[in-house]
Amino acid sequence: TGAAPAQAAPPPPPSLSEARYRLAQLPIGPEGSQAGYDRDLFPHWSAAEGNCNAREMVLRRDGAGVEVGADCYPVSGSWTSPYDGFSTSEPSEVSVDHMVALAEAWVSGADTWSTARRESFANDLDTPQLWAVSASSNSSKGARDPAEWMPERAAVHCAYAKSWIDVKYEWGLSADSAEAAALEDLLDSAC
């Protein structure tokens, strides 16, 4: 089988010029209401491929030397969080972060979506929406946008900003003015 591949990552974000274009296309306005929001309105970790759910697919994709059992759950491998550099060989210590948090999506337009569309968003493996990260960084981030929170590791700020923009653009979500300004500043300073 050969050497294990280097740690993989979420789908790559767009180029800097494409990220700038996509940011300019985002509808800008105040966030909507949290009223009615519930994580359960975004069914997540749905079946993705074979007997693997979306979370297991991310663990396989974002780890190094990952081997899975018949149930698709990792039995070996290692993961390093791009947000803070935390490394582990215990899959239970890895969180899968929704780049654009479910609550953030809700106040940015997902409150009007069907449950099926919200489920697709919560399990999106095609954009850089799902990242294997440390539990502490995922908890620290919560549902905050880039105007309110950025990963501890500055080296990931460019990819983080471009990925955030990509997810919002691909899903037709809005951004508030502080969020858009923070993203523009990040593209200028971190990329």
Side-chain angles (χ1 to χ4, degrees):
T1 57
Q7 175 142 336
S15 67
L16 179 56
S17 60
E18 183 64 16
R20 288 186 196 285
Y21 170 80
R22 290 177 175 203
L23 177 57
Q25 303 307 307
L26 295 182
I28 307 298
E31 290 186 342
S33 170
Q34 282 280 355
Y37 169 74
D38 188 315
R39 275 182 74 82
D40 293 342
L41 295 171
F42 292 80
H44 49 288
W45 313 149
S46 302
E49 180 181 298
N51 60 347
C52 300
N53 67 33
R55 181 178 192 282
E56 292 161 343
M57 293 293 288
V58 172
L59 291 175
R60 283 175 56 188
R61 179 194 74 198
D62 292 7
V66 178
E67 294 184 23
V68 299
D71 61 355
C72 198
Y73 194 76
V75 293
S76 66
S78 63
W79 295 264
T80 301
S81 170
Y83 291 177
D84 57 9
F86 172 81
S87 292
T88 184
S89 57
E90 290 296 328
S92 63
E93 293 179 357
V94 180
S95 284
V96 174
D97 177 43
H98 289 95
M99 168 62 59
V100 174
L102 306 179
E104 168 68 20
W106 180 265
V107 300
S108 303
D111 59 322
T112 64
W113 293 353
S114 67
T115 300
R117 183 162 169 81
R118 287 194 292 262
E119 181 174 14
S120 293
F121 177 80
N123 296 279
D124 179 12
L125 294 164
D126 297 324
T127 72
Q129 164 68 340
L130 299 175
W131 293 48
V133 302
S134 68
S136 62
S137 66
N138 195 25
S139 175
S140 162
K141 176 186 172 189
R144 296 187 289 173
D145 71 36
E148 304 159 328
W149 185 90
M150 283 300 293
E152 181 181 311
R153 288 184 61 243
V156 76
H157 288 183
C158 178
Y160 187 89
K162 292 191 303 183
S163 296
W164 182 279
I165 292 165
D166 193 36
V167 172
K168 285 252 173 149
Y169 176 84
E170 290 293 338
W171 286 93
L173 294 168
S174 64
D176 65 53
S177 54
E179 172 189 351
L183 289 163
E184 192 160 329
D185 288 349
L186 283 162
L187 293 181
D188 290 342
S189 65
C191 296

